[in-house]
Amino acid sequence: MRHRTWAVAGGAAALVLVAATGAHAEGRGDIRVTKTVVNGGGNVIIGVARTVKYPIAITIKDDSGVKKITDLSTFNRSNGYGFITWDGDSSCVKKSATTSVCTGTMTVDPGWIADSDDIDSNKVAGVWQVNATVKANDGDYWISDHIAEYKVKRASKLTTDATPEPVAKGAKLTINGKLTRANWENLEYHGFTGQDVKLQYRPAGAAHYSTVKTVKTGDAGRLSTKVTVTSAGSWRWYFPGTTTTARIVSTGDAVTLK
């Protein structure tokens, strides 16, 4: 059975209220959560179409051994909203007589997002927390709030186009691009303005790119700059990301000399 637990700050009465309070735990017995890892330690990146699934692995300890996760929820730390669901199941791997790592799978379909809140859904990107209830073989249980923090980010796209090609040595090369990110309200990609994006260059035959300059995105996320060409090589844009928007590197555009 799918458990769709959505935290809400107000409105949307059909959704389930989850208190987004500070760290708190209560229960019975000696069972405890000792570690929580979300998505293998990485950010959760959500676009506009593809369903995203990711694991939350919880290390649990009890003198009788660990039985399972009985509840698992996650939501934004600052506003209490969430649109990610738990499938209701957990698998536990026994590490010792007293300790197991139990993993629950979280799911989000971008089509759910706008229906899960009564604010601009894009404001739900950022730092999220995890709450869980865990159970031991002897019936002990522990309700744990704020057992982990991680980032849920809007997916991004970045393009590069260098012209003219080929170009004469010593001539000017114009390098254009565009930075966009997922808009969860209308499920489209919109330009991301006012962001610092790095222009990077890799000489032909070299293994690595190096940063040449930093350019700020303009209207509709557009990028444009000129460089003087000294050798053949590849150019690309690199955006390091923000708390709410994913890091992205464009495909390199290889430029040859005349």
Side-chain angles (χ1 to χ4, degrees):
M1 179 176 67
R2 170 166 286 166
H3 293 244
R4 184 169 295 183
T5 306
W6 285 333
V8 297
L15 307 183
V16 179
L17 179 65
V18 179
T21 59
H24 171 71
E26 62 182 63
R28 182 184 69 194
D30 64 338
I31 187 170
R32 294 294 184 272
V33 170
T34 62
K35 182 180 179 181
T36 304
V37 178
V38 180
N39 198 31
N43 299 320
V44 174
I45 312 300
I46 302 169
V48 301
R50 184 177 65 86
T51 296
V52 175
K53 293 179 179 287
Y54 64 95
I56 298 180
I58 304 174
T59 302
I60 309 163
K61 186 175 183 178
D62 183 83
D63 62 357
S64 71
V66 176
K67 187 171 184 179
K68 63 179 179 178
I69 301 169
T70 59
D71 191 48
L72 186 58
S73 63
T74 184
F75 47 86
N76 182 284
R77 283 281 296 150
S78 63
N79 56 42
Y81 284 99
F83 45 70
I84 296 170
T85 73
W86 174 47
D87 63 12
D89 295 324
S90 65
S91 60
C92 295
V93 177
K94 189 174 182 179
K95 298 298 182 180
S96 71
T98 61
T99 303
S100 293
V101 177
C102 295
T103 301
T105 299
M106 313 304 289
T107 302
V108 57
D109 180 332
W112 301 341
I113 298 177
D115 293 332
S116 69
D117 59 61
D118 55 8
I119 61 173
D120 178 352
S121 296
N122 297 304
K123 295 180 179 179
V124 188
V127 179
W128 283 43
Q129 79 175 56
V130 177
N131 290 1
T133 303
V134 296
K135 189 174 183 180
N137 289 328
D138 60 3
D140 289 353
Y141 68 93
W142 200 247
I143 304 168
S144 301
D145 294 347
H146 200 183
I147 57 174
E149 289 187 359
Y150 65 106
K151 292 183 179 69
V152 175
K153 297 189 177 187
R154 297 159 67 178
S156 56
K157 294 181 178 181
L158 187 57
T159 62
T160 297
D161 182 28
T163 56
E165 299 180 59
V167 64
K169 184 175 181 180
K172 291 290 186 180
L173 185 69
T174 299
I175 304 177
N176 296 316
K178 188 174 182 180
L179 175 64
T180 59
R181 61 175 174 169
N183 184 309
W184 292 339
E185 285 284 294
N186 62 9
L187 301 182
E188 296 178 354
Y189 280 84
H190 292 197
F192 195 10
T193 63
Q195 301 304 305
D196 288 335
V197 181
K198 299 178 187 298
L199 177 65
Q200 298 185 329
Y201 174 67
R202 183 185 67 189
H208 303 289
Y209 281 87
S210 58
T211 297
V212 175
K213 63 171 73 175
T214 299
V215 179
K216 195 174 292 291
T217 55
D219 182 55
R222 293 186 179 88
L223 290 156
S224 186
T225 191
K226 293 182 182 294
V227 295
T228 300
V229 175
T230 58
S231 62
S234 295
W235 299 86
R236 73 180 187 185
W237 293 103
Y238 165 70
F239 175 59
T242 68
T243 300
T244 61
T245 304
R247 167 189 175 274
I248 188 73
V249 182
S250 74
T251 301
D253 189 356
V255 176
T256 58
L257 297 182
K258 288 183 179 179

